[in-house]
Each structure stands twice: as C-alpha cells, then as structure tokens.
Amino acid sequence: MLRREARLRREYLYRKAREEAQRSAQERKERLRRALEENRLIPTELRREALALQGSLEFDDAGGEGVTSHVDDEYRWAGVEDPKVMITTSRDPSSRLKMFAKELKLVFPGAQRMNRGRHEVGALVRACKANGVTDLLVVHEHRGTPVGLIVSHLPFGPTAYFTLCNVVMRHDIPDLGTMSEAKPHLITHGFSSRLGKRVSDILRYLFPVPKDDSHRVITFANQDDYISFRHHVYKKTDHRNVELTEVGPRFELKREFEPESRVWGGEARLAVPGLMPSLPAVYMIRLGTLEQEATADVEWRWHPYTNTARKRVFLSTE
C-alpha cells in the first residue's frame, strides 16, 4: 500500500513538472509569435532559440484549449462519484468547536465527523485515504471561537487554508427546526478571477450533484474577498413567488484582527492597530495533502505588508 501510494505520488509530481515545462515553452512561443506579428525585435532571451521556436510554431493549431492538466486530474471523478467528506477539529477542542463541527457535518451530505483525540495529522490522512475519503476538513478555534478551516483534497491535494469570522451556529438561533439532508443546489457568485475559480472549484466539489426537486440551497457569495456562506431551504408559495427560510449555520470566510494578541502563523503575536491587515478568505493553497506542509509546493500564498495590500482583491476581476 505504501509503495503504491509513493508511486502514484511520483507520477503526480512528474505530470505536474511536465505541464510546467510545457506551459513555459508555450509562453516563449507566444512571445515570439507576437513579436513577429507586430514586426518588433525578438526579445533578447529568445534569440538563441528563435529559429527552433519558429519551426515549432508551424505545428501548433487550434483545438488544444480543452487539454486537461493536473488541476483537472485532481477532480476527474467530480460529478461522477459523490464526494466523501471527513470533518475533524484541532487538538483539545472546546464544546463550541465540537458543536460547530457537528453542524458542518449536516451541511455536507454524507459527511462523517471524527473526534481528533491524540491522532497525528499523518495518521488521520492515512486513515482517510485507506477508507476512500475524498476531502478532509479540519476546523480550528481561538478562545472558543472558530477561526480557521482547512480543506485537504485526497489523495494528492490541493490543500486550501481559509479564515472564518462572524460564525452564527444553529444552536444560537431559537426555534430553527430540523435541517434537510437532501443534496443541495449550489450558488457561487463573484469568483471571476483565475484564483477565484480555483477556490470555487475547491468549495463546490465538496458537494454531490443534487436532484432537480431538491429544495435546499447553499450559497458562496464573494464580495471584496469576503466569502459569505448561507444555507436556505425554499418553498413555492404560488406560481410566481418563492419563500426562503434560512436554516443555518452562517459564517464569513475572512477574518478581521482585533486589537489584542492572537495567533498568527502558529504563534501568538501582538497586533498593532493600523499595521496588521485582515486575513483574506483563503490565504494559502498547497499542491499536496495536509501532512505534507513542509514539502508540498505552494500554488498560491497571500503576502501581507505589501503596497496596496488592503485595496487589492484576489478572487474577482471586478
């Protein structure tokens, strides 16, 4: 089993390296083609291989836009097989975090919740792979408040790190009633950039394909890099009107810092008002699983303390 997993991992890394080399070669050919079409000088770094690139341009044709990559390969069974989600917490969770994990279990159809106990991350991931789990969700807290969500797609990744704020659980809303366990319809709004589409895919592939008569709706709405999560059921009051009822929980995938010490990158530091920016909805995506934090390549990372960091949006082009 370990040999097979290591072999599949090597094949995955090899495909990714090949795709990166092909993408780099295609970019060089595009730069040469634009220079020739616009009758400009060939860029200095391309002059030595200009003749070879020009010769390969003759064999390029249209129709290769749908070629799959390792990103498509990660979710090749999405929509064909229902995802199998496992939800757990950080070590020594509070009662409120356990309650939030139970409510997340009801959000994802067919999901299972596991008590963390003393299990290490590597043992959790190996157990999930052995049981056919497609996604591992880990919820983190700070002083009893859920502040972090990690979504690790198995068996090879990616792993996305989200921040949570304004969590309102079902237990905090009186007389809410029972939650439907039907497969929900999904609404994703505002994910127009390349990173936004990547984050949208990571989130929406946690849910199976719904049936047409399902009356359950889950919304991920992005506005200024705030991803709002809402959960509703609807019923038709007449042939024109629809009545929405929120069933919870609700939260935002972005976190604002408070003017006191808190955890930042695994250790407690003092936040200076005006200097410590808020964390975005997703602050890192790794091309690996959760136990490979030290070795997996970083696909995207949020860099704070840069010019106009507060004004920049990443998940949308609008």
Side-chain angles (χ1 to χ4, degrees):
M1 186 66 182
L2 293 177
R3 289 182 180 179
R4 179 177 180 271
E5 184 176 336
R7 176 178 57 82
L8 292 175
R9 175 67 181 171
R10 287 196 303 269
E11 292 176 358
Y12 169 73
L13 294 175
Y14 174 73
R15 287 198 307 270
K16 186 160 65 69
R18 285 288 304 273
E19 290 162 12
E20 182 65 24
Q22 292 171 1
R23 184 187 62 81
S24 177
Q26 186 64 29
E27 288 180 354
R28 294 198 302 272
K29 288 193 289 186
E30 285 296 321
R31 292 176 60 192
L32 177 64
R33 183 183 59 81
R34 287 196 300 267
L36 294 176
E37 288 179 353
E38 298 171 5
N39 197 21
R40 293 186 290 105
L41 288 176
I42 297 175
T44 307
E45 62 272 15
L46 299 179
R47 291 178 183 175
R48 287 190 176 183
E49 54 179 351
L51 291 177
L53 291 175
Q54 187 176 8
S56 63
L57 279 173
E58 300 176 359
F59 299 97
D60 289 350
D61 56 356
E65 294 82 4
V67 176
T68 59
S69 65
H70 74 279
V71 175
D72 305 306
D73 191 61
E74 293 163 358
Y75 297 102
R76 62 188 181 277
W77 299 117
V80 179
E81 297 179 355
D82 289 348
K84 190 174 180 181
V85 179
M86 179 66 70
I87 300 173
T88 187
T89 62
S90 55
R91 289 261 180 93
D92 194 18
S94 64
S95 59
R96 188 168 177 81
L97 188 67
K98 292 179 182 178
M99 193 183 304
F100 183 61
K102 290 179 181 179
E103 295 186 1
L104 280 183
K105 174 183 174 295
L106 298 177
V107 169
F108 302 100
Q112 298 292 324
R113 186 180 66 87
M114 178 173 54
N115 291 328
R116 176 66 180 273
R118 296 184 179 181
H119 298 295
E120 296 180 353
V121 174
L124 288 177
V125 175
R126 287 192 296 271
C128 290
K129 289 181 180 180
N131 288 275
V133 173
T134 60
D135 295 274
L136 174 64
L137 273 62
V138 183
V139 189
H140 293 273
E141 66 178 338
H142 179 63
R143 296 182 181 177
T145 302
V147 295
L149 174 67
I150 301 176
V151 179
S152 182
H153 184 70
L154 303 177
F156 302 127
T159 299
Y161 298 78
F162 296 92
T163 53
L164 295 176
C165 70
N166 301 332
V167 177
V168 179
M169 293 189 283
R170 287 173 47 84
H171 291 73
D172 299 332
I173 306 175
D175 304 326
L176 200 57
T178 58
M179 182 189 295
S180 171
E181 295 187 9
K183 297 177 181 178
H185 296 282
L186 289 182
I187 299 175
T188 55
H189 173 73
F191 298 91
S192 54
S193 67
R194 182 177 178 182
L195 176 64
K197 293 176 182 177
R198 177 67 158 157
V199 173
S200 175
D201 288 342
I202 291 173
L203 293 174
R204 68 189 178 96
Y205 286 138
L206 296 173
F207 298 89
V209 177
K211 295 183 178 180
D212 294 338
D213 57 351
S214 175
H215 286 198
R216 187 180 174 197
V217 181
I218 285 180
T219 305
F220 291 98
N222 172 50
Q223 184 177 9
D224 296 333
D225 282 359
Y226 276 85
I227 303 177
S228 299
F229 172 86
R230 297 294 183 269
H231 185 194
H232 296 86
V233 293
Y234 72 90
K235 63 179 180 179
K236 295 183 178 180
T237 56
D238 52 49
H239 67 286
R240 288 188 176 180
N241 298 319
V242 173
E243 179 181 338
L244 278 178
T245 304
E246 187 174 3
V247 294
R250 65 157 63 179
F251 52 82
E252 322 294 333
L253 290 174
K254 187 164 183 174
R255 185 185 178 202
E256 296 287 352
F257 281 105
E258 303 167 358
E260 57 176 271
S261 63
R262 73 217 15 98
V263 174
W264 169 273
E267 60 180 281
R269 299 185 182 178
L270 184 64
V272 181
L275 294 180
M276 183 71 77
S278 60
L279 280 173
V282 55
Y283 59 91
M284 186 164 54
I285 300 177
R286 288 185 181 273
L287 289 174
T289 50
L290 190 56
E291 86 281 11
Q292 298 167 349
E293 272 190 327
T295 58
D297 295 335
V298 176
E299 180 179 351
W300 183 85
R301 184 198 300 270
W302 176 71
H303 296 282
Y305 309 114
T306 56
N307 294 334
T308 69
R310 289 175 175 268
K311 304 175 185 178
R312 207 180 312 164
V313 293
F314 301 98
L315 303 180
S316 175
T317 58
E318 299 175 359

